[in-house]
Amino acid sequence: MSQTSGTASSGGSARAWRDALVSVVAGFAAMIAVAAAGLACAGAGDLPEGAFPRVLAAVVVMAAGGTVEVSGDAGLLAGVDASLSVLPLSVSLAGALAAGWCFLRPLHNRAVAGPRELLGRAVPLVVLWLLALTGAAAVARQDFGISTGDSALGVIGELLDAEPKVGFRADVPATLLLGLVWILGLLLIALLVSRRAPLPAGLVRFHTAVRPAAFATTLLLLAYVVIGVVVGLVVAATQGHAGRTLAVVLLGLPNLVWIALTLGFGGAWEARVEGAFGLPVPRLLDEVLRDADGAPVDVATLAARDPRAWWLVVAAAVLLLGTGVLAAVRSPAHVRPWQHALHLGAALALATLAVCLLARIHAVYGLSLLGIGDVDALGGQVLLDPVLWRTVGLGLLWGAVAGFLGGVLARPLHRRGRVDEPAAKRG
């Protein structure tokens, strides 16, 4: 009997590693494909010194939660100050959907699974994911020379043979730490969102409170992405600059549409955009961000320039109400409207907090000549930070209102779409 048990355990372990390998390959393949397409649309294929694969690796590292450091060197001539903190969420989302789906697929058999079994499936995936991320981080390093043209720095640089350079390289320890948080967060969200994935017996009682609201909130975020894709394709086909528009869609669309969601329910973001660099955003938003100079930007600020910005409020209201109804329909019939309000309010507040942390942007680059002054054409900063408590607080409020109204509106639907109590709880 012990021999049979050992064989079964060995087979289960081998299957877990095989399934983990499939998940990791699928996740990284999705990220590489989307990032490569986005970079190609942005013109990165023309980068010198065959740098495209290394830039691609850097984008994948950032998308998986890693850290890429920007550095510069101009010898004794100049000082370089550079930093970059941005998450290409289109790439992240592609990898998360592919890896999450592959992780959940073998688990769709029963309602309950022991913690040991879930750990036995999660650990191989985490180990292989971090190994793949280490490989990407090892590739993500490159240096570029900067052309200063006919500026004073360029003339002195030619005389002293000291060309300014800027480069990037992945911070491997930080990348592995943040990548671990990223993959663990993905697995947790996958288990919370999926109705058919098993839970440990001790957590089954939270099934009704967590999963319908988590699923509906996730679908809300994905709905904004789908709408953004449609709008982006229409803009690319009708208004020119198709390559640049498609690059935004393939690299940073969720960064824009999820911020639009927060603006729609009253959130605000502080922005500072200086220099030649900027954000790949619609012209209206770019103008507002440049004029903000660190002041909060909300939907009223946008509407002062273009009244059509008020449609963000309408879209948020309609989609949040639909989210509330969906969460209520997927819940058992005995759940009260005030309970729906509590569940969806908490879910939307947590989702808003995640958006605020993931969509923020910090990018600074400066080049100073002999420590005296900056070369304006080669300097700039792009900062975008949420007004955190206002945005998350309004997310909680809007989620609670949508949950309550959804619970009321779902009553005539009777028991259609009801989430049955898990088998372990009934037994």
Side-chain angles (χ1 to χ4, degrees), residues 355-402:
V355 169
C356 289
L357 296 177
L358 296 176
R360 57 193 294 273
I361 297 174
H362 281 197
V364 179
Y365 183 74
L367 183 64
S368 60
L369 176 59
L370 298 173
I372 299 174
D374 292 337
V375 181
D376 294 335
L378 297 176
Q381 63 175 333
V382 179
L383 306 176
L384 187 64
D385 281 309
V387 181
L388 194 62
W389 294 113
R390 169 180 170 176
T391 305
V392 174
L394 286 171
L396 174 64
L397 176 63
W398 275 66
V401 172

Side-chain angles (χ1 to χ4, degrees), residues 105-145:
R105 190 170 181 272
L107 298 174
H108 286 168
N109 299 323
R110 57 204 181 282
V112 178
R116 193 170 178 180
E117 179 185 354
L118 291 178
L119 282 175
R121 287 193 167 272
V123 169
L125 194 154
V126 170
V127 170
L128 293 177
W129 186 270
L130 293 181
L131 286 175
L133 189 56
T134 302
V139 177
R141 54 181 62 236
Q142 181 73 33
D143 291 316
F144 299 96

Side-chain angles (χ1 to χ4, degrees), residues 13 63 75 93 118 136 161 184 207 221 223 227 232 236 238 243 335 345 349 409:
S13 177
L93 183 61
L118 291 178
D161 192 23
L184 290 177
H207 173 91
L221 296 177
I227 293 171
T238 60
V335 180
L409 294 174

